[in-house]
Amino acid sequence: MEKSPVEILFGKRNFFEFLESLDQVAPERGIKTIREVIIKDSLGNEEKQRIRQYIPNSIKFTTVSTRELDRIASDKNHQGYVIIRTKQKSFLSLGFEQFKQNVKVGEGPILILDRIQDPGNLGNILRTAECMGVKHVLMSDRDTSPITPVVEKVSAGAVHHLQIYRVANLMHGMEYLKKNEYWILATDEEGEENIWETLPEATQMAVIMGNEGEGVKRLLLEEADYVARIPLFGSVTSLNVVVACGITLDRIQNVSR
């Protein structure tokens, strides 16, 4: 029988965030995917015991040399921590129906991502979003980076604590949110600068961030309730989408304080 394809989860923070999330996700997306846990043999007994508390004895737990771990992880920056797991075609299998079932009134801020294509940007956005209290992320299913092991690593494991939905039409998601008492905020260089202090509570907000080069699609901008401009004071006239996302989420959270 042909073995299922596997993928490598690597990096210390990502490693532990995944293990700590196992009791929060369905077994078929968590504990049942683990084929083997591998760490470098120089780690102490206390660290090994810490790892053991997350996984049952039935899961293979191996210690190897750093050189061997480099080989297993294809020379990625594993930091001595690797999990081999069954490749999940359905990491982003949550769709529009699950979105409507899971997202309740007052669970904002919700993050909407329009065509984020760079894995590094996506990983950093997800890390920022989780740190800023986001629980639900709605993504377009076309022209968007998949959640790869690299995205997981860059996100510092934040992907394991987020509900991520991939949909064909972001407009349908925005319409659903509006019907459920959410306000939509987009950022654009032509937006208003002076609306930050007059926004609704963060729990009532959904924030849409756009493609690295083109920004938010015009059609989606027109559907937003607020279009804001982040004031800039230097010579450069635009921000990286990761930075813009962090500033935006911080500002709407500060409105609620």
Side-chain angles (χ1 to χ4, degrees):
M1 182 181 295
E2 186 179 350
K3 289 185 178 180
S4 301
V6 298
E7 61 186 4
I8 306 295
L9 182 152
F10 59 93
K12 182 176 180 179
R13 185 179 293 274
N14 186 29
F15 178 95
F16 279 108
E17 293 291 353
F18 177 71
L19 293 180
E20 289 170 3
S21 74
L22 290 177
D23 61 351
Q24 302 169 26
V25 300
E28 59 271 18
R29 294 182 62 202
I31 195 71
K32 287 187 177 180
T33 69
I34 301 176
R35 292 281 194 84
E36 185 176 0
V37 175
I38 310 174
I39 61 172
K40 62 183 179 182
D41 53 16
S42 59
L43 294 175
N45 288 332
E46 186 176 336
E47 189 76 340
K48 294 171 186 174
Q49 291 170 6
R50 179 189 176 194
I51 295 165
R52 265 296 181 199
Q53 71 181 346
Y54 294 109
I55 58 174
N57 290 332
S58 57
I59 290 177
K60 189 176 181 180
F61 182 32
T62 309
T63 61
V64 299
S65 67
T66 300
R67 178 177 291 183
E68 176 62 9
L69 208 51
D70 288 342
R71 185 193 66 78
I72 293 168
S74 301
D75 290 321
K76 294 183 175 70
N77 183 23
H78 52 74
Q79 299 172 308
Y81 299 81
V82 162
I83 294 174
I84 298 177
R85 62 186 185 181
T86 305
K87 190 170 186 178
Q88 296 296 288
K89 293 180 180 178
S90 58
F91 189 94
L92 289 182
S93 62
L94 294 177
F96 189 50
E97 290 305 312
Q98 288 91 349
F99 180 74
K100 291 189 292 184
Q101 291 169 13
N102 294 346
V103 177
K104 310 302 181 187
V105 175
E107 285 197 321
I110 310 292
L111 182 61
I112 304 170
L113 299 180
D114 176 26
R115 300 166 298 141
I116 303 299
Q117 297 176 332
D118 180 85
N121 283 342
L122 180 57
N124 276 306
I125 286 171
L126 295 176
R127 179 177 185 173
T128 299
E130 204 283 328
C131 289
M132 288 288 106
V134 171
K135 295 181 177 64
H136 303 280
V137 180
L138 186 67
M139 299 168 59
S140 50
D141 66 357
R142 296 177 62 184
D143 301 321
T144 299
S145 169
I147 302 293
T148 64
V150 171
V151 172
E152 291 183 66
K153 173 68 163 54
V154 174
S155 81
V159 295
H160 308 305
H161 300 286
L162 294 166
Q163 293 291 324
I164 302 175
Y165 310 85
R166 184 161 229 155
V167 298
N169 193 328
L170 289 179
M171 185 69 76
H172 291 165
M174 293 170 68
E175 291 169 353
Y176 175 80
L177 287 169
K178 285 188 171 190
K179 288 177 183 177
N180 285 273
E181 304 177 21
Y182 284 93
W183 300 84
I184 311 293
L185 169 70
T187 58
D188 185 79
E189 60 184 14
E190 297 180 5
E192 299 178 54
E193 251 188 50
N194 300 319
I195 65 174
W196 296 102
E197 300 302 322
T198 60
L199 295 173
E201 293 285 313
T203 56
Q204 299 173 273
M205 295 294 298
V207 174
I208 181 166
M209 304 303 301
N211 173 265
E212 292 93 338
E214 300 174 6
V216 178
K217 282 182 181 175
R218 182 56 53 183
L219 190 64
L220 301 180
L221 273 179
E222 291 171 355
E223 193 64 21
D225 299 295
Y226 302 95
V227 180
R229 178 159 64 94
I230 298 172
L232 304 176
F233 305 98
S235 300
V236 177
T237 59
S238 65
L239 292 169
N240 172 277
V241 64
V242 178
V243 177
C245 181
I247 291 173
T248 302
L249 289 172
D250 178 71
R251 289 200 171 197
I252 68 169
Q253 287 287 20
N254 273 310
V255 169
S256 306
R257 293 174 189 168

